[in-house]
Amino acid sequence: MPVPPTSGRLQWNDIPAPLRARLEDALGAPVIDAVTPQGGFGHQLAAALHLADGRRVFAKAAPDNDPLTAANLREAAVLDTLPPDVSAPQLVGIHRAADWTAVVIAHLDGPHPDLSPPSVDVEQVWAHLGRLTSSPAPAPYATAVGTAPSTAPLHGWGELLSDPPGDLARAARDRLPQLAELEAAWPDLACGDRIVHGDLRADNMVRDRHLGVTFVDWAHATTGPACIDATSLAPQLILAGHSPADIDRMLHEHPATSSNPDATTAFLAALTGHWHRNARRPAPPGAPGLRAYQHRAAAAGLALLGHRLR
Ligand SMILES: Nc1ncnc2c1ncn2[C@@H]1O[C@H](COP(=O)(O)OP(=O)(O)OP(=O)(O)O)[C@@H](O)[C@H]1O
Ligand SMILES: [Mg+2]
């Protein structure tokens, strides 16, 4: 699957010297190289730090007045409270200096998984999602992510219905009232007690050579019904080359989504509406590939909705 382009990320030498020194001190060895992996849209440091003694760690860092620092601290709290059977890296530590904060995470060694057919990585991802959603989130995790489900505000069709853009796909235009009605039902369905990663794409997974496919970037984690991650993954699989019909079948078969088809359809409508609406907005600074990606994701989500609403 093509990974979205890496934007202009901060590099190791952009980090203030006091924070670099603090990190090297805490890690017990100088950093001899810092490698920025491909993928994601963020502008913060997100790099594998190679230490002089041969170890590697993964670090994310931003100034304290950048909202990404709050997101990184939230991710650290989530990593610290995930049950051990969840496929995620360990939190190593949090370090602060010069009004910057770095979160250090265990390094995973490998590429992004291949989500295109017939890769076996996809089977691993579905199996992880089955485990992740088979029982309620532990209380410390629920405390770390807060009570309000962050997926509830997703929407877009209502606004597009009131002023349909000229370039809106025919398949969306023909169904706008139905899509707006479905997404309007979503906020009432968005509460649930399961762990939700909240941003599952190939570039938020690493196929570690020992651990296999592992989910990273837990900054958007929340709670919700079991269907959320499997449903948001579905358009990603279509972008990776799977047919909408095959993915529709998977959603009908997978326990996370088959158990709640109404919430699955309402969430898919809300997420697809969010993409259709946001893709038409001006590009935010520092994220050059984001709007093009949202256009592609919007089309994939709509193709899948076409199957579910037959
Ligand atoms: N623990 C890890 N070990 C090795 N590589 C990792 C690890 N965590 C993330 N990565 C890689 O680094 C990239 C950026 O990390 P991450 O997605 O956490 O950063 P981000 O700035 O929050 O991303 P985004 O731009 O998606 O918001 C990921 O796409 C992945 O390739
Ligand atoms: Mg990411």
Side-chain angles (χ1 to χ4, degrees), residues 286-305:
L290 182 61
R291 296 306 185 216
Y293 158 73
Q294 287 172 334
H295 271 292
R296 294 197 303 274
L302 189 61
L304 188 54
L305 277 166

Side-chain angles (χ1 to χ4, degrees), residues 56 107-111 206-210:
R56 274 183 284 179
H107 179 257
L108 300 166
D109 193 6
V206 174
R207 192 209 296 128
D208 179 80
R209 62 197 178 105
H210 299 298

Side-chain angles (χ1 to χ4, degrees), residues 3 5-7 9 35-48 57-60 68 71-72 75 79 88-90 104-112 199 201-206 208 214-220:
V3 168
T6 304
S7 54
R9 280 198 189 274
V35 178
T36 301
Q38 212 200 3
F41 302 103
H43 55 268
Q44 65 178 326
L45 173 84
V57 293
F58 186 74
K60 297 168 81 162
L68 285 176
N72 292 343
E75 176 174 11
L79 292 179
Q90 296 280 315
V104 182
I105 299 169
H107 179 257
L108 300 166
D109 193 6
H112 297 295
D199 199 14
R201 306 185 305 244
D203 61 292
N204 283 335
M205 306 175 196
V206 174
D208 179 80
T214 306
F215 297 165
V216 299
D217 198 358
W218 287 80
H220 301 280

